[in-house]
Amino acid sequence: DSPTLPKNEAMAPNPRSPYALQKLVGEEYARLFYRLYELETVSLRFFNVFGPNEYHKGRQKSVVATAYPAAAQGQPVRLFKSHDRQYPDGGQLRDFIWVGDCVAVMLWLLAHEGVSGLFNVGTGQARSFDDLAKALFSALNREPEIEYIDMPEAIRERYQYFTEARMARLHAAGFAQPFTSLEAGVTSYVHDYL
C-alpha cells in the first residue's frame, strides 16, 4: 500500500488487509528459504486478474464478472463515483490482466529453471473502469450505459485510485510474451465463459 506509482517489487510493503499480510509472509518465507538453503522460489504479485472461474471469489470477483449479469440483461453497469478530483467518475485506474496471461507467466517461470524471486504480474498499463465497462458493452454488442454510484464511506479513505505494475523485473528475467489487451480479454471472457 505504497503511494508510489507504478508499483515495483522493491517497494517496502505496508499490508492493509489479512490477505495482503498473508501474501507478504509467504514472500518472506521464500526469501528465507533462498538465503538459508539456496532454494530457488518464485513469488508473484498479481494485479487485477479477471477471467473464467471466479465464482468462488464472492464479493472479490472482478468487475467484469460482477457487472456482466446486469449488462447482459440490458441494465446499466454501476461504477463508483470518484471522490478524488484528479480522477473523473469511472476514471479510477487499475492494471487489469486476463487470467490467461497470468497462466502464461506461471508456465514460463516453470519452464525456466534458475529464474527466481519476486515478480509483479500485470500488463504494465493501467486502464480505467470506464474502459473496462465499455469493453464489456462492446462484447455484448450494446452501447455503453454506465451509472455512477457513491463509493461506500467505509472504503473512501483507503481506496486506491491508481494501480499499475512495473514489469521490468519479469522482462529482465526473459519473459517477452505480449499481454492480451483489455478489450480482447473481456471479449473472450464474455463470449467463451459467461
Side-chain angles (χ1 to χ4, degrees):
D1 186 39
S2 167
T4 304
L5 298 168
K7 304 293 185 194
N8 69 58
E9 299 89 343
M11 298 168 101
N14 180 24
R16 293 179 75 173
S17 71
Y19 172 75
L21 181 59
Q22 174 195 4
K23 293 283 291 176
L24 179 60
V25 169
E27 292 170 8
E28 291 302 317
Y29 267 115
R31 284 191 192 105
L32 180 63
F33 275 88
Y34 182 76
R35 274 198 318 266
L36 294 177
Y37 309 112
E38 295 184 16
L39 176 66
E40 292 181 351
T41 61
V42 170
S43 294
L44 303 174
R45 288 185 180 167
F46 294 98
F47 278 64
N48 289 78
V49 181
F50 68 95
N53 301 316
E54 295 189 63
Y55 309 106
H56 69 283
K57 293 165 71 176
R59 294 181 56 200
Q60 297 299 314
K61 61 186 170 184
S62 72
V63 172
V64 178
T66 301
Y68 172 79
Q73 294 175 12
Q75 299 170 9
V77 165
R78 300 173 85 193
L79 298 177
F80 288 142
K81 290 179 181 176
S82 175
H83 294 273
D84 182 327
R85 290 184 182 143
Q86 294 180 37
Y87 299 91
D89 293 342
Q92 303 92 323
L93 301 166
R94 293 287 184 276
D95 193 333
F96 299 108
I97 183 165
W98 170 241
V99 70
D101 291 332
C102 297
V103 171
V105 168
M106 291 184 285
L107 291 174
W108 184 87
L109 287 164
L110 282 170
H112 290 83
E113 288 186 32
V115 176
S116 65
L118 171 63
F119 299 97
N120 284 335
V121 182
T123 64
Q125 180 183 6
R127 299 286 301 274
S128 72
F129 282 100
D130 269 351
D131 290 340
L132 186 75
K134 289 173 184 174
L136 174 60
F137 282 111
S138 177
L140 292 168
N141 293 314
R142 284 192 57 208
E143 287 297 316
E145 188 180 353
I146 302 170
E147 178 183 317
Y148 300 103
I149 61 171
D150 282 326
M151 183 182 299
E153 287 193 36
I155 66 170
R156 284 183 194 173
E157 291 299 315
R158 62 179 202 248
Y159 186 81
Q160 292 181 302
Y161 280 83
F162 179 88
T163 63
E164 182 176 88
R166 279 235 168 102
M167 299 303 296
R169 187 176 282 179
L170 184 63
H171 293 310
F175 185 83
Q177 296 176 35
F179 293 107
T180 305
S181 72
L182 176 65
E183 291 77 10
V186 170
T187 298
S188 177
Y189 194 13
V190 169
H191 291 183
D192 301 330
Y193 300 99
L194 292 176

